[in-house]
Amino acid sequence: MILGIDVGGTHTDAVLVDRFAVLKKAKVLTDERNLLNSLLAVTNALVDESTIKQLERVVLSTTISTNAIVQNKVDRVGMMVVSGPGLPPSLYDVHQDTYFMSGYINHRGMEIASIDRTEATRMRNRFRSEGIRNVGIVGKFSTRNPRHEIELQEMVRDQLSHVSLGHRMSGHLNFPRRIATTYLNESIWNIYQRFVEEVLHFVHARGINVPIYILKADGGTFDISQSVEFPVQTILSGPAASIMGILTATGCTDDAIALDIGGTTTDIAVFADGVPLFEPFGVTIEGHKTLIRGLRTRSIGIGGDSVVRLREGKFSIGPEREGPAAAFGGPFPTPTDAMIVLGMTGIGDPDKAAAAIIPLADVLHCTVDEAARAIFQEICKIIAAQVRNFIEEINNQPVYTIHEMLDGKRLNPRHLYVVGGPAGLLAPELGRLLGCEAHVPVHAEVANAIGAALARTTAEMTLLADTEQRTLTTCEEGIQTTISPRFTMEDAIRIGIGKLREKVLKMGAAEEDLEIEVVEAQEFNMVREFYTTGKNIRVKLQIKPGCIADLEQGDALCR
């Protein structure tokens, strides 16, 4: 049995899955002030003492990292950047607490200029005096030699809460993206650490003694204790969960649109030939271009509980959410209230829903039903317009899926899959507006929890070999070993597969889920005075995102 839990901004959903079938499901309101209460409530609805003994693992997805960044509820971070010569600092995405340090390691990992210890000490004292307790350290070529990052960490770590190092974030060389990724990782470290502590407290309180995992942006999982060092990996965890949920519940093999409509936001994703699209170079969040590989999604601030207002005689919906729908005691009318008034659902108090819409109807000189119908039409039009814009944007760029790049591919979706609480109510009209056949998968209201439960563990690894210097660098771990000058690309791939396999098994992956693929393999000759002196070899491998135990699409949850 697997317990899947999605901790959303509005609701916490959970499912109990046995042999890829949903046995039970539950949904409770998320108590942001006491997350433990929500976790206990939703779990108590699904498991008892005998069921707990049959659990094999617990998997969570969460919006906590994403929401902290989007709402700017992040910690102040001091950034120490070792950029060396090249582009001026003004061209990097930095903020007021970014400081450029002396020292330089070149593109081959060789130290050209050392760290200035006096300068590092001065920075440490400045951080202390200004109350900065979280620091990120990034060197331009630290993935090829992390020496300067490690030295600076040792010099400044005293009396700090935490330090994030750029070479641990990704093996990619993109320096500006690595700065942004390191900054975000450190800015949400404290809030994410508290979240993990609450989860582990919950696990202890319920007597659960099985591996606990968290979903990443790429739709894969990793051990929640290990995730504390890399909270940035969990940004867009919620949208990734909805994609994985739809993937497990449908037999889609064509171009398709996937929507997850929640209380606060709607997440948009697209499938190409039945396969989710991917951001191979890194996802972007709130203008920060990161190195976090993830599923390609777009979140818009509109959902069932979004506030409805009148502006210049027209309805405006979202992006604010000020509590639940009026039918449940909330302070403002919402699309949920409109659907209740129209008799589309029997939830909540219809009198309260109508009372909230009456003032809007009076201004427009129409009936409550007419106002409710207009609100319902407006939310559908807004979502449909955003979907069209997203598809147009994708069709103007190269199309990447989780498996490959599709050269010259243009998306032309004919199917629409909708999940989330109001999925069944909105899907028909959205399908009409988008010219698609609308589908509401089984268990659509808890699709995120299902997606989390059935996602496999993923990881990536980058190796860089320099046969002239006789070094092999495992970039994400900053480990260097000695190699033969006759080292080859085949050697790098063989070693990389072994190292990645060992790494992901320690992260909790099952042997049968280890679908390893080479996503990058490059080799260049190094020449001096017309002679080849060695080779520069770069290999990147990953565990392909997907569902556990070779789960075929449609097999799991359509029964």
Side-chain angles (χ1 to χ4, degrees):
M1 288 187 181
I2 302 171
L3 180 62
I5 304 175
D6 174 60
V7 184
T10 305
H11 290 98
T12 294
D13 304 334
V15 293
L16 185 64
V17 178
D18 184 23
R19 301 181 187 276
F20 306 124
V22 174
L23 297 184
K24 295 181 180 180
K25 54 188 176 182
K27 181 186 290 283
V28 302
L29 289 173
T30 299
D31 184 350
E32 295 183 353
R33 291 171 295 182
N34 192 335
L35 190 60
L36 182 61
N37 286 344
S38 300
L39 291 170
L40 287 172
V42 78
T43 305
N44 289 340
L46 300 183
V47 300
D48 54 26
E49 296 306 319
S50 62
T51 309
I52 286 176
K53 295 178 182 178
Q54 299 178 61
L55 286 178
E56 293 184 2
R57 67 177 191 163
V58 177
V59 190
L60 297 97
S61 59
T62 179
T63 60
I64 189 167
S65 299
T66 303
N67 289 348
I69 295 168
V70 171
Q71 298 173 21
N72 197 31
K73 296 180 179 179
V74 296
D75 289 318
R76 188 177 175 186
V77 178
M79 293 294 296
M80 302 175 72
V81 178
V82 187
S83 59
L87 294 176
S90 60
L91 295 182
Y92 296 122
D93 181 18
V94 297
H95 55 91
Q96 63 177 0
D97 295 315
T98 299
Y99 302 95
F100 290 85
M101 313 297 293
S102 302
Y104 182 53
I105 287 176
N106 71 8
H107 66 286
R108 292 184 59 191
M110 301 170 64
E111 184 180 60
I112 305 302
S114 61
I115 293 295
D116 185 333
R117 298 187 65 89
T118 302
E119 184 182 52
T121 301
R122 186 165 62 249
M123 283 298 99
R124 180 192 63 190
N125 294 337
R126 172 175 287 186
F127 292 151
R128 287 177 181 171
S129 65
E130 296 186 10
I132 297 174
R133 294 294 179 265
N134 294 81
V135 171
I137 303 174
V138 188
K140 181 181 290 185
F141 294 110
S142 60
T143 55
R144 297 186 173 178
N145 184 347
R147 176 178 174 180
H148 285 174
E149 288 185 358
I150 294 171
E151 286 181 357
L152 283 171
Q153 180 186 33
E154 292 301 318
M155 293 176 191
V156 305
R157 70 189 310 170
D158 186 36
Q159 296 185 21
L160 293 176
S161 296
H162 191 258
V163 177
S164 289
L165 302 182
H167 76 274
R168 300 294 308 280
M169 300 297 110
S170 171
H172 277 294
L173 277 176
N174 192 304
F175 188 39
R177 281 182 178 263
R178 194 156 67 256
I179 293 173
T181 306
T182 307
Y183 164 75
L184 289 178
N185 193 74
E186 197 58 31
S187 72
I188 60 175
W189 185 84
N190 284 313
I191 190 171
Y192 185 78
Q193 182 194 42
R194 289 193 293 271
F195 165 74
V196 172
E197 288 176 351
E198 288 193 71
V199 170
L200 296 179
H201 187 192
F202 142 73
V203 169
H204 177 74
R206 288 301 284 117
I208 297 173
N209 187 26
V210 295
I212 314 297
Y213 301 96
I214 192 83
L215 198 73
K216 300 183 295 178
D218 68 354
T221 67
F222 65 146
D223 182 89
I224 195 168
S225 297
Q226 297 181 29
S227 74
V228 174
E229 285 300 307
F230 307 101
V232 71
Q233 291 280 356
T234 67
I235 61 174
L236 304 179
S237 169
S242 65
I243 293 175
M244 299 307 295
I246 292 172
L247 194 64
T248 62
T250 69
C252 174
T253 58
D254 303 318
D255 294 353
I257 301 161
L259 297 178
D260 179 7
I261 305 174
T264 308
T265 60
T266 292
D267 299 321
I268 308 169
V270 180
F271 292 72
D273 300 328
V275 182
L277 298 194
F278 201 61
E279 293 278 16
F281 305 110
V283 300
T284 299
I285 181 169
E286 291 299 293
H288 298 284
K289 294 182 177 180
T290 77
L291 286 172
I292 302 303
R293 290 158 57 86
L295 301 177
R296 184 163 188 174
T297 63
R298 173 162 294 171
S299 296
I300 58 175
I302 188 167
D305 293 343
S306 297
V307 175
V308 177
R309 294 186 173 91
L310 276 174
R311 290 195 171 98
E312 299 179 357
K314 296 181 179 180
F315 285 116
S316 171
I317 305 176
E320 303 89 353
R321 176 185 179 271
E322 302 291 346
F328 294 93
F332 295 101
T334 69
T336 296
D337 295 308
M339 288 182 274
I340 292 172
V341 168
L342 294 172
M344 300 174 69
T345 176
I347 62 175
D349 186 332
D351 292 333
K352 290 182 178 179
I357 295 177
I358 286 174
L360 303 179
D362 289 343
V363 173
L364 295 175
H365 305 292
C366 65
T367 67
V368 173
D369 279 5
E370 289 172 337
R373 175 62 60 183
I375 293 170
F376 175 78
Q377 292 291 338
E378 185 63 21
I379 187 174
C380 292
K381 289 178 182 177
I382 292 172
I383 294 173
Q386 291 285 349
V387 169
R388 294 190 198 98
N389 291 340
F390 190 42
I391 292 173
E392 183 179 357
E393 178 184 302
I394 291 170
N395 280 334
N396 289 326
Q397 300 173 350
V399 176
Y400 292 86
T401 72
I402 60 176
H403 295 164
E404 60 188 334
M405 176 183 172
L406 301 180
D407 188 27
K409 171 73 175 179
R410 283 191 63 83
L411 296 171
N412 186 26
R414 288 291 177 262
H415 295 273
L416 169 68
Y417 297 96
V418 189
V419 299
L425 308 179
L426 294 168
E429 180 62 14
L430 287 170
R432 186 188 70 81
L433 291 172
L434 292 167
C436 293
E437 182 180 346
H439 309 269
V440 179
V442 64
H443 309 302
E445 75 279 15
V446 290
N448 284 26
I450 294 170
L454 298 178
R456 68 167 58 144
T457 301
T458 60
E460 61 182 37
M461 181 165 288
T462 310
L463 275 72
L464 180 69
D466 186 327
T467 62
E468 183 182 23
Q469 293 191 72
R470 301 187 181 187
T471 59
L472 176 66
T473 303
T474 306
C475 298
E476 291 86 355
E477 299 175 3
I479 297 174
Q480 281 193 340
T481 55
T482 302
I483 58 174
S484 162
R486 294 181 295 278
F487 192 85
T488 65
M489 174 74 75
E490 290 72 23
D491 293 328
I493 292 174
R494 173 180 52 80
I495 292 172
I497 289 173
K499 285 179 173 290
L500 182 55
R501 180 180 179 278
E502 180 182 0
K503 175 181 179 178
V504 79
L505 287 175
K506 288 182 180 179
M507 292 169 62
E511 186 74 45
E512 59 267 26
D513 293 331
L514 300 188
E515 191 176 356
I516 300 177
E517 63 178 353
V518 179
V519 294
E520 182 181 338
Q522 297 180 347
E523 180 178 305
F524 304 96
N525 289 330
M526 290 179 283
V527 179
R528 294 182 189 275
E529 298 179 354
F530 307 105
Y531 292 97
T532 299
T533 58
K535 292 184 177 181
N536 187 302
I537 301 169
R538 177 181 172 86
V539 171
K540 190 174 190 67
L541 308 99
Q542 73 165 357
I543 304 294
K544 188 183 295 184
C547 304
I548 61 175
D550 296 323
L551 177 66
E552 294 294 334
Q553 291 182 8
D555 284 354
L557 305 167
C558 291
R559 63 181 188 271

